[in-house]
């Protein structure tokens, strides 16, 4: 996906395969960089007991999270998430 963010709000989402257009009502499904940092903060709070393992990687030059991997307890089958961000470029 190519996601365009302006003033902290997702304003356009374009599939990489140029398939069906994403309607604006669904833009909220894709996080901004600020949303990714907020996710990291909330998931890594010391009092959280549902996140058993978390791995975060950051862009070496720009510092945004490039990969967030969350895993829950082994006995919980439907817990875990991976978020990735790459090739981010500032808009003029």
């Amino acid at each position: 996906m190519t996601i365009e963010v302006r003033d902290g709000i997702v304003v356009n989402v374009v599939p990489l395969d140029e398939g069906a257009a994403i309607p604006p009502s669904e833009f909220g499904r894709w996080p901004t960089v600020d949303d990714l940092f907020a996710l990291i903060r909330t998931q890594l709070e010391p009092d959280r007991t549902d996140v058993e393992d978390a791995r975060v990687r950051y862009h070496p030059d720009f510092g945004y999270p490039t990969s967030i991997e969350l895993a829950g307890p082994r006995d919980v089958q439907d817990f875990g998430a991976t978020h990735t961000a790459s090739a981010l470029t500032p808009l003029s």
Side-chain angles (χ1 to χ4, degrees), residues 16-87:
L16 291 178
D17 63 4
E18 298 185 23
I22 306 296
S25 61
E26 294 191 24
F27 289 173
R29 294 178 50 201
W30 285 272
T32 65
V33 171
D34 288 341
D35 293 337
L36 294 175
F37 279 110
L39 174 70
I40 294 165
R41 278 191 306 276
T42 59
Q43 295 300 313
L44 299 182
E45 290 177 351
D47 60 342
R48 297 267 329 210
T49 58
D50 57 340
V51 176
E52 190 168 286
D53 186 32
R55 295 179 185 163
V56 181
R57 292 182 190 92
Y58 297 91
H59 190 281
D61 297 321
F62 301 112
Y64 64 82
T66 58
S67 175
I68 305 168
E69 300 175 31
L70 305 170
R74 296 192 200 298
D75 60 340
V76 178
Q77 293 181 3
D78 192 21
F79 184 97
T82 300
H83 300 271
T84 58
S86 62

